[in-house]
Each structure stands twice: as C-alpha cells, then as structure tokens.
Amino acid sequence: MSYRRHMTRWWMLVTGLVLVTAGTAWAGPALVRTVRCSGSGESARVVVDLSRPMSYETRLSADSTALILEIPGAVSEASLGEVSVGAGGVRSVRTQALEDSHGPRVELTFHLDARVEWTHFALPQGRGKPARIVVDCVRRGDLPERKRQPHEGDV
C-alpha cells in the first residue's frame, strides 16, 4: 500500500472518530419539554415529553410521601414548576432542574396524599409525538399517620 493511500485512510479514520465524538458533545443534554397530568378519582397519569429518549430512575421517598422520577443528563426547557393533579393519590408534581458534580438532571417529585401503586414506561418518538416517559399511579389506601413532634411552646 502506498504511503499516500495509507495516510488517506488514516485521516478518514481520525475524522470519523472526531465527528462521532463531537456529535455526542454537540447533542448536549436532553430537554424536558412539558409535563402533562391527567386523572380521575383513583388513578392518575403523568406524561413527561422529552427532546429524545433518556434513561431515568424512580424511587419512593423514605417517608412514603413522595415518588421521585429522576432523569440524569436532562435539563428543563422552561421553569415547569408545580402542576396540580388531585387524583390517584397524587396531590401535585413539581419539576426541578438540578446540577451537581455528575452533571445536569431533572427531578420530578410526585407529592402523594395517599399510598399509591405505580408503573412507568418510556415511549420512543414517532408518529409526530415526542419521546416520553409515562407514570401511572393508582391509589391504594391512606398514608400512615405521622407522629407529630411537639414544638417549643406547645401546651
């Protein structure tokens, strides 16, 4: 193989690797575009519209009063704030854009007013719809009574 042909292939390889690496960096974080809530009585559905598919995690708070959906590597397109739900044991959903040493993330906190059972799944973009995360909650009873801590000045 000639030197010229060898160098041409070498530069094509290097250029391809640079473009792949740069493409990932240029894509930037995914955007949480909207948070839509609906519900009736014992069930609620929350849909999070994204600019592209993203991995996510869900967990229940230690005191069982909140369900947390965390989307690492995402930012919020706008300050989405808090949305009232009032169904399925979900009082409201608060959206926050956070950043720490691991990078940006968006955290949705489902404030619960009852015990809930939840399911979640991701849907790819298609048919004119964005990528999205769907969380369904069903009321499964009352929250346990919390013991009230006496405050100074209580009689």
Side-chain angles (χ1 to χ4, degrees):
M1 180 184 302
S2 73
Y3 174 76
R4 183 178 210 154
R5 180 175 271 178
H6 176 72
M7 288 307 292
T8 301
R9 286 186 179 175
W10 173 253
W11 280 111
M12 287 173 62
L13 175 66
V14 169
T15 302
L17 288 173
V18 166
L19 289 175
V20 167
T21 304
T24 303
W26 288 332
L31 297 174
V32 172
R33 295 206 165 141
T34 58
V35 176
R36 299 178 280 133
C37 303
S38 63
S40 61
E42 301 299 306
S43 65
R45 173 169 276 189
V46 176
V47 179
V48 182
D49 293 328
L50 304 168
S51 61
R52 67 170 192 244
M54 290 293 294
S55 62
Y56 64 94
E57 300 171 6
T58 59
R59 69 181 185 281
L60 192 61
S61 67
D63 63 359
S64 300
T65 60
L67 173 63
I68 297 143
L69 170 70
E70 192 171 300
I71 310 169
V75 296
S76 178
E77 196 167 63
S79 179
L80 298 174
E82 194 157 350
V83 177
S84 180
V85 179
V90 181
R91 185 175 62 247
S92 63
V93 177
R94 185 183 73 223
T95 305
Q96 293 180 264
L98 304 169
E99 182 137 6
D100 59 18
S101 61
H102 301 293
R105 74 182 192 280
V106 171
E107 186 175 279
L108 286 88
T109 304
F110 295 56
H111 297 284
L112 305 176
D113 57 14
R115 287 185 188 175
V116 299
E117 183 177 296
W118 74 92
T119 57
H120 53 86
F121 54 94
L123 294 169
Q125 59 193 58
R127 296 184 186 186
K129 294 186 178 184
R132 50 211 181 278
I133 298 170
V134 179
V135 180
D136 290 323
C137 294
V138 178
R139 182 185 175 98
R140 292 293 183 222
D142 295 328
L143 284 174
E145 290 280 327
R146 291 193 300 181
K147 293 181 182 177
R148 184 173 173 258
Q149 299 294 327
H151 293 285
E152 196 173 308
D154 283 351
V155 181

